[in-house]
Amino acid sequence: MKKSTLILLSSLMLFSCIRNQPAEQKSTPHDEKMAWWREARFGMFIHWGLYALPAGEWNGEKIPGIGEWIMSNASIPVKDYEKLAGQFNPEKFNAEEWVQIAKNAGMKYLVITSKHHDGFAMFKSKASRYNIADATPFGHDPLKELADACHRNGIRLGFYYSQAQDWHEPGGAFHGIEDGHKHWDPTLPREPMMNYIENKAVPQVKEILENYGGLDILWWDTPYGMAEESAQKLQDIVNQYPSLITNNRLYKPWPGDFGTPEQQVPPTGLDTDWEVCMTMNNTWGYKSYDQDWKSAKTLIRMLTDIASKGGNLLLNVGPTAEGLFPDSSIVRLNQIGMWLKKNGQSIYGTTASPFFKLPWGRCTKRVDENGTTLYLHVFDWPNDQLLRVPGLRSRVSDVYLLSNDGQKFAYKFEKGDLLIHAPNVTFDPINTVIAIKINGKLKVESNMPVFKDGLIFLPAGFADIYNPGYGIHACLKGSGDKAQVSNWADPKVRLEWMFSTPEAGVYTLESLMNIAEPCSLNIKIGLRSVIAGLPSTAGDFKTIRLGEIEITESGNQVISLIPVKENWKSASLISLKLKKKER
Ligand code: FHN
């Protein structure tokens, strides 16, 4: 192994794009409560209810939208939907099997819908007979069995509870209630929401917290129509369980213990604890014909991406009405589990990346009594056999393949970067993890783009892609110089870059883009903005002038590219340049 030359720099600029890097501080009671959850990083969401029976179809028609919303999306009268309870008999349900699948996938906790918006309790409830034990031929409480299996297997347990929406109750909320819309079923009498809160939500929440041997998580959802007073009544119950972790969806706004980005990964992480909830196809509740599955590669890289930004992934499964996990979910969970068996150390209990951007992948970090370890997650194995770790200014004592610590890598420092010799072998096409043992203190200099040679160059690989939860997602394709933001078809998607310039002044903007049809972009830096008209580039990448913009103060900046929704079609982008205009 080549020994490194240590380059000591007196003034190191430490900067990271990750916004939730905790400073070294004393742990608070909140930290203590969150400790297992932060360690866990990966959990299973389960959406299971009566909606698994119609499985996306009503009266022979395929109902668009997410499966568990079928009652609302197909405007099913309450009395008709209730009849599903009479047919719900998930005889193949096996709590131990579900928990084993989660455990083998490397998941450390599980959150299941105890009552979703349809109002049907999947647990035995004295507060409402509209529950699985009293209203179905199944006749008993599957969540009790699941809780026992979780406790046996050391899997933490959470219940989802739809505290506001309850489409079955006269006082329950539904989509549109805040805009004065009526419930789709005119035969359902209306009552004040507080009646429902006091007579169903509060007693049921007490039941779930009392009857299952202690829940670890209570997962609220869609606080439509919630009064602050209602939220407080539920929070008063939660307060009796000091170790219970809750999310931020009880009321709006509501901090909870963690944030819940849904169906999207925040490009730079968040300031609070956070958990991405994500489906493997396009529905939470089972839909027999939704076969649009994300690949295991996508899911493993997503888990890595989230961990590299300091968050958790709650990955959903929608079991069938028989009580089985769809095969496509099981296959993916197995593959994720196989990867985690070899590489779990690089995910569990790690914290966010210290680097600004890594063009070839991600990084996670572990700091413990043995020192600091960086885990480099290589998605794109370098063709030139050199993996560049930008701005690593620490001494390094070992560089090895995490899945086989006998496989060492040679390394050297060059021009302020660590270069790892990556032999001509792709160890894992999905994500190869290389561990770096840091000797002493971790020091990283940011590779945030800066003003150089009269311009600021912003490549696609350095863009933060803000995708909407529901909608078409743009993504980064390719790597290095060839990386491009593609599939930028949804006008809700915006791109942002951070950069730094010592030079205030007017800059001209140009971008290498492929534009399907003429459209426009709103470009913003601070309080300045400009609308740029983009011509069609007839199927090729072309340099397009986007106009000029003033940067009013030197220092760190964020530039945003926001589609003008009226005429947005589709675009791909390779780079953006800002050239300083001479006065
Ligand atoms: O409306 C629900 C939806 O059905 C699902 O439960 C998701 C999971 O986060 N939450 C709501 C939408 O935000």
Side-chain angles (χ1 to χ4, degrees):
M1 186 196 307
K2 255 190 187 170
K3 260 286 163 206
S4 60
T5 330
L6 184 69
I7 305 168
L8 274 173
L9 287 178
S10 52
S11 60
L12 286 177
M13 184 176 73
L14 282 165
F15 187 87
S16 163
C17 72
I18 309 301
R19 292 183 182 156
N20 75 335
Q21 291 268 37
E24 275 175 34
Q25 327 153 315
K26 279 209 174 131
S27 78
T28 61
H30 176 73
D31 289 326
E32 276 157 34
K33 171 166 103 167
M34 297 304 288
W36 74 261
W37 188 93
R38 291 176 186 162
E39 169 78 30
R41 285 284 171 258
F42 189 29
M44 178 182 277
F45 213 176
I46 303 180
H47 275 70
W48 197 39
L50 295 182
Y51 39 80
L53 265 174
E57 280 185 62
W58 196 254
N59 290 338
E61 223 186 286
K62 291 195 164 116
I63 307 299
I66 39 186
E68 71 285 3
W69 271 73
I70 192 165
M71 181 178 174
S72 168
N73 291 343
S75 302
I76 303 174
V78 173
K79 292 285 166 225
D80 290 355
Y81 190 85
E82 267 179 0
K83 289 185 193 136
L84 293 173
Q87 302 157 39
F88 196 70
N89 193 11
E91 279 181 325
K92 297 196 175 147
F93 166 72
N94 181 328
E96 182 64 26
E97 232 168 71
W98 282 17
V99 173
Q100 285 302 331
I101 294 173
K103 203 171 172 179
N104 276 327
M107 291 160 152
K108 304 294 183 190
Y109 62 106
L110 187 155
V111 178
I112 185 162
T113 47
S114 65
K115 185 200 78 159
H116 203 266
H117 311 329
D118 63 359
F120 186 75
M122 292 295 285
F123 58 97
K124 176 151 182 66
S125 170
K126 287 190 182 139
S128 159
R129 285 193 58 78
Y130 195 45
N131 76 72
I132 189 162
D134 292 320
T136 72
F138 188 62
H140 59 277
D141 182 346
L143 300 200
K144 180 79 188 61
E145 289 161 41
L146 198 64
D148 292 345
C150 282
H151 294 147
R152 274 198 303 277
N153 285 286
I155 295 290
R156 299 277 188 158
L157 177 65
F159 279 6
Y160 165 112
Y161 188 85
S162 174
Q163 79 283 11
Q165 290 204 74
D166 191 314
W167 304 330
H168 181 260
E169 302 302 325
F174 49 87
H175 183 65
I177 193 170
E178 286 163 346
D179 305 323
H181 295 173
K182 294 206 164 13
H183 192 285
W184 57 89
D185 183 353
T187 68
L188 184 71
R190 292 313 301 166
E191 271 183 12
M193 192 162 166
M194 191 52 89
N195 289 6
Y196 151 75
I197 295 285
E198 283 176 344
N199 300 326
K200 184 166 176 184
V202 164
Q204 285 200 330
V205 167
K206 284 186 180 158
E207 287 176 332
I208 57 180
L209 291 178
E210 274 163 27
N211 296 345
Y212 294 87
L215 293 184
D216 297 297
I217 301 168
L218 183 52
W219 218 96
W220 307 116
D221 207 1
T222 59
Y224 298 165
M226 281 291 276
E228 200 170 349
E229 197 191 342
S230 307
Q232 196 52 55
K233 280 183 193 293
L234 294 166
Q235 182 59 34
D236 288 346
I237 311 170
V238 166
N239 288 343
Q240 293 164 29
Y241 297 84
S243 62
L244 184 69
I245 294 174
T246 60
N247 71 358
N248 64 344
R249 296 189 183 184
L250 175 58
Y251 184 62
K252 218 174 179 179
W254 191 261
D257 293 310
F258 63 93
T260 50
E262 177 164 328
Q263 297 288 48
Q264 108 250 49
V265 181
T268 58
L270 302 176
D271 290 329
T272 53
D273 286 299
W274 54 282
E275 171 188 76
V276 168
C277 51
M278 180 64 63
T279 53
M280 283 195 239
N281 50 357
N282 297 315
T283 179
W284 302 92
Y286 179 66
K287 241 180 135 173
S288 59
Y289 52 91
D290 181 343
Q291 297 302 332
D292 188 17
W293 297 95
K294 295 175 186 73
S295 66
K297 172 176 162 183
T298 298
L299 296 169
I300 290 167
R301 289 184 175 188
M302 187 186 291
L303 172 63
T304 307
D305 184 28
I306 292 169
S308 80
K309 294 167 182 166
N312 282 15
L313 170 61
L314 188 65
L315 186 60
N316 185 70
V317 177
T320 66
E322 287 183 294
L324 295 175
F325 285 3
D327 286 343
S328 304
S329 302
I330 298 177
V331 168
R332 281 155 183 81
L333 291 171
N334 265 332
Q335 285 168 298
I336 302 171
M338 271 156 32
W339 183 85
L340 277 169
K341 276 185 192 96
K342 289 194 224 146
N343 298 294
Q345 201 194 109
S346 68
I347 299 289
Y348 304 122
T350 58
T351 50
S353 167
F355 298 102
F356 178 72
K357 295 279 173 192
L358 295 169
W360 38 258
R362 301 290 183 273
C363 173
T364 50
K365 174 175 98 237
R366 176 182 307 282
V367 183
D368 59 19
E369 59 288 356
N370 302 318
T372 301
T373 310
L374 296 180
Y375 302 102
L376 308 180
H377 298 262
V378 188
F379 296 170
D380 298 300
W381 197 251
N383 290 332
D384 63 359
Q385 301 182 31
L386 279 179
L387 188 75
R388 186 172 288 273
V389 187
L392 183 61
R393 298 284 204 268
S394 306
R395 267 183 295 205
V396 162
S397 58
D398 202 2
V399 180
Y400 58 93
L401 188 68
L402 184 62
S403 56
N404 168 15
D405 58 11
Q407 170 69 55
K408 307 279 186 192
F409 296 99
Y411 60 92
K412 65 177 179 187
F413 284 92
E414 193 185 275
K415 293 188 192 143
D417 298 340
L418 173 71
L419 291 184
I420 297 175
H421 177 248
N424 213 359
V425 189
T426 307
F427 294 95
D428 184 330
I430 293 182
N431 177 359
T432 301
V433 184
I434 297 179
I436 304 182
K437 285 270 175 221
I438 300 294
N439 187 351
K441 240 187 152 20
L442 176 65
K443 290 178 195 155
V444 174
E445 184 179 8
S446 167
N447 64 335
M448 184 162 68
V450 290
F451 184 75
K452 210 175 142 196
D453 304 329
L455 60 86
I456 298 144
F457 180 71
L458 305 172
F462 279 51
D464 291 327
I465 306 175
Y466 287 81
N467 278 310
Y470 292 87
I472 307 165
H473 283 195
C475 59
L476 193 69
K477 263 205 189 143
S479 58
D481 301 347
K482 298 205 180 67
Q484 53 171 275
V485 175
S486 68
N487 210 33
W488 188 8
D490 193 321
K492 296 195 289 296
V493 178
R494 74 176 196 279
L495 305 186
E496 284 188 4
W497 285 261
M498 289 195 220
F499 63 91
S500 174
T501 178
E503 310 250 349
V506 176
Y507 287 73
T508 59
L509 299 159
E510 63 182 46
S511 178
L512 188 55
M513 292 181 85
N514 186 340
I515 316 280
E517 282 176 42
C519 54
S520 19
L521 272 176
N522 185 0
I523 303 172
K524 285 191 179 165
I525 301 181
L527 295 174
R528 303 293 156 130
S529 67
V530 58
I531 300 277
L534 313 178
S536 157
T537 59
D540 273 336
F541 276 94
K542 293 205 175 118
T543 299
I544 300 173
R545 276 187 56 90
L546 302 173
E548 350 189 290
I549 196 161
E550 189 185 355
I551 296 181
T552 53
E553 276 178 59
S554 61
N556 290 351
Q557 318 284 338
V558 174
I559 184 166
S560 314
L561 267 50
I562 308 156
V564 173
K565 70 171 185 300
E566 284 69 33
N567 62 7
W568 190 254
K569 284 289 175 315
S570 164
S572 309
L573 178 149
I574 290 184
S575 62
L576 179 65
K577 274 185 202 164
L578 288 84
K579 286 190 189 152
K580 179 92 199 303
K581 258 186 103 179
E582 295 308 325
R583 279 175 200 272

